[in-house]
Structures are given as structure tokens and as C-alpha cells.
Amino acid sequence: MSRLYLPTTHTMRCFQVSAKHLSFTLAAAELNLTQSAISKQVALLESSLQVQLFVRNRQKLELSPAGSTYLVHVNAILRKIEETSQEMLAYGVFEDVIRIASHPSLCSAWLVKALKGFTAHYGDVQLSFYEQMLTYDPAEADVDVAFIYGYGGWHGMESIELFDEEMIPVCNPEVLERNKDQPEIDIYFNTRLIECRSRLNTWDQFFERFSQIYPNGYRSLLFDRWTSCISAAKTGCGLALVPKILVEADLQNGCLVPASSHRLTGVGSYYMAYLKSHAAEPKVKIVREWILNYLGKDPDYLPEE
């Protein structure tokens, strides 16, 4: 496609709002434009892309299959532009912006607490969090520092091990109460098991570690995120084998209880990682020192080559 015909952000916005309402009239009202202007912008976009984005019925619009696909990308593009613009505006107030990537569950359960007081101490720095699944190489995250689960040794990255992962089986207290008169191991046979798609082998490792056969109902409940696994366990849907770091608050307030005395360790660790080429940057150094101080480790520690 010639640069001359690349769609503008204005055109993409007209398409996005039209797709939200499935109406050029309502899109025009939201954007304070005429219905004709919206229709022309969408028609121009379809002409440029050489594809039909909407199916135009008498009563309403419908997204075409191509339109649905394009909308996903347009949403991401416009969201990225908005986020980047907000970061640039921050340069008028803050001296620097530190971009931090973390798994959503780890961010809410641990990282936010670990960085408490950071912005008060460094008043000229803004933290910008990107909650991502990070199942890939952290070097591809396009951030300054990533907090990620794995085994270390990412190419081109310095990775500092923060703490080992301990997996713990948890459940609603009522589930444990119903099994209190049974042998400890029987709870796994009497209750549905909950599993996270990003770590499908954890129950396998758990039962192999304790030389147990797999119980009936294994993998009967699958979720994409740890937060959903934890919520399902809290509502009594079954047993969830989850990182202990993510449920410490729930264990303390009694929303969850350990399903048994068994634990699964040695399956990976949590790391703070950043590009080796950026290791000497002040904003990377202050995050590294803050986190290591929080963990009671030597703030001058550097990983071995």
C-alpha cells in the first residue's frame, strides 16, 4: 500500500466508533461529526484497504469478518497511541518514565506492594505498568524492566532471581471441612481440580512428586489466568494449585485454606530482567536497587556472566 493511502488515525477512529455502535448516525453524534462525514471516512477506508468492513443492512450495520479482524488491530493501535501520548505529556512533569512489565497476577499480588513508596521517594519519576502474560522472551516486551516467571538465562538480558516459586493447593474452607474425616490425599479424588492454561503441567508434576495416581476429574476446570483459578477456588468450585505468592492475602484472611500439607517446589523462579545494554541506565539501576532492598538482598548485586 502506498504511503499516500495509509489510513489516518481520524479515519480509524471513525471506523472504531462506528463498529462500537454499529451505526454511522450514533458514531457521528459521539464524534461531533455529520453522518455523511462518518460514512465517507469508512468508505474511504474500505477503498484504501480494498475490503468490505461493514455489511450494510437496511436496519443496522454489521461487521464483516474482515471488519472484525481489522477492529482488533485498530483498537490496539489507537490504545497504543493514547498510552504513548500520555507518557509524552508526563515528560512535562516527570524527569523520566520507567516502563515495567509484569504478569497481571504477580503485579497485583506482589509488585505493587514491593514498589510502595517508590514514587514518593523518586518524585521526578513516573512508573508505567504493562500487565502482560510474558510467556515469551522478555527482551521482546519493549519495556525497561520485566518481572517474569521462568528459569533465567534469557539471551541479551540480565536476570536477577527474586524468589523461588512454591505451588500450593488451595480451596474454600467449606471444601476442606467436607473432607476432614477422609485421608489427606483423598481430597484430590473427591474434588474437581482447577488448572491454568499457561502452566498445564503443574498438576502432573504435583502428583508425580508424591507418587500419586491422577484422580478422577483431573483437568475438569481450565482457566486462562491465575486470578480466575483463584476466584474459582474461593467460590468452592474445586482445588487450585497456584503460586503461594499470589494467595498469601487470601490465606491470611481465611478466604482460602491449604487443601493439604503437600507443596510443589523446584518448578521455576520469579526474576527481574532487563537488557544488558541498559543495565547502567539510572532508571534501571534505581528499580533494581529498590527491589533488592525490599527483599533484603545486596542492592549492589549483579548477576554473574
Side-chain angles (χ1 to χ4, degrees):
M1 182 186 297
S2 169
R3 289 178 60 88
L4 180 63
Y5 296 105
L6 284 175
T8 64
T9 55
H10 173 67
T11 301
M12 288 190 287
R13 180 63 174 154
C14 289
F15 163 70
Q16 181 191 51
V17 178
S18 297
K20 180 177 73 172
H21 294 294
L22 292 177
S23 167
F24 292 149
T25 301
L26 294 177
E30 178 173 332
L31 296 175
N32 197 27
L33 297 169
T34 66
Q35 188 272 348
S36 176
I38 295 289
S39 180
K40 288 179 179 178
Q41 286 295 316
V42 173
L44 176 63
L45 182 59
E46 291 178 318
S47 176
S48 299
L49 298 175
Q50 299 182 12
V51 67
Q52 185 177 8
L53 299 173
F54 289 103
V55 178
R56 291 160 175 80
N57 296 321
R58 179 174 299 179
Q59 298 296 326
K60 65 176 183 178
L61 295 175
E62 292 183 5
L63 279 169
S64 68
S68 297
T69 299
Y70 190 59
L71 179 61
V72 173
H73 296 290
V74 166
N75 285 338
I77 290 168
L78 294 179
R79 184 168 57 250
K80 184 63 175 178
I81 291 173
E82 181 181 2
E83 290 175 356
T84 303
S85 298
Q86 289 176 344
E87 285 190 5
M88 292 306 298
L89 287 172
Y91 281 102
V93 179
F94 299 100
E95 182 177 323
D96 211 342
V97 176
I98 303 176
R99 299 168 300 164
I100 297 176
S102 173
H103 188 286
S105 299
L106 181 66
C107 186
S108 61
W110 182 80
L111 184 56
V112 170
K113 291 187 291 185
L115 289 171
K116 181 181 179 181
F118 183 92
T119 53
H121 186 78
Y122 296 102
D124 56 349
V125 172
Q126 181 190 38
L127 298 181
S128 183
F129 292 89
Y130 297 84
E131 296 181 68
Q132 305 172 5
M133 297 304 288
L134 290 174
T135 56
Y136 45 83
D137 191 328
E140 299 177 6
D142 190 28
V143 293
D144 299 304
V145 182
F147 290 84
I148 186 171
Y149 165 84
Y151 300 91
W154 293 284
H155 179 68
M157 306 288 292
E158 280 189 357
S159 55
I160 297 177
E161 185 175 350
L162 303 176
F163 44 83
D164 293 330
E165 182 170 76
E166 178 184 359
M167 304 288 288
I168 178 173
V170 295
C171 63
N172 183 287
E174 293 181 1
V175 174
L176 188 64
E177 179 66 19
R178 290 197 298 266
N179 289 270
K180 66 178 182 179
D181 296 326
Q182 304 293 324
E184 184 182 46
I185 198 64
D186 282 4
I187 192 171
Y188 301 105
F189 293 82
N190 299 333
T191 314
R192 287 176 179 266
L193 303 183
I194 300 168
E195 194 161 25
C196 187
R197 283 192 176 90
S198 64
R199 304 277 287 282
L200 284 176
N201 65 338
T202 50
W203 276 118
D204 294 307
Q205 294 173 311
F206 181 83
F207 292 120
E208 288 171 2
R209 180 73 56 85
F210 300 106
S211 302
Q212 297 294 327
I213 60 173
Y214 298 165
N216 295 329
Y218 179 50
R219 288 184 178 153
S220 60
L221 287 176
L222 284 171
F223 294 94
D224 287 329
R225 295 176 181 265
W226 287 123
T227 50
S228 298
C229 294
I230 294 167
S231 294
K234 289 166 69 173
T235 57
C237 294
L239 306 182
L241 183 61
V242 299
K244 185 180 178 183
I245 190 72
L246 304 184
V247 293
E248 287 183 337
D250 292 315
L251 292 171
Q252 289 175 3
N253 63 31
C255 291
L256 291 172
V257 293
S260 73
S261 61
H262 298 126
R263 303 289 184 271
L264 180 62
T265 58
V267 290
S269 302
Y270 288 94
Y271 291 83
M272 174 173 50
Y274 44 85
L275 289 170
K276 289 182 178 179
S277 58
H278 294 177
E281 289 191 5
K283 59 183 178 180
V284 173
K285 292 175 66 175
I286 62 175
V287 173
R288 180 179 64 217
E289 291 170 1
W290 184 277
I291 292 296
L292 290 176
N293 271 318
Y294 177 78
L295 294 173
K297 297 185 177 183
D298 182 359
D300 295 322
Y301 166 80
L302 286 175
E304 296 180 1
E305 293 291 337

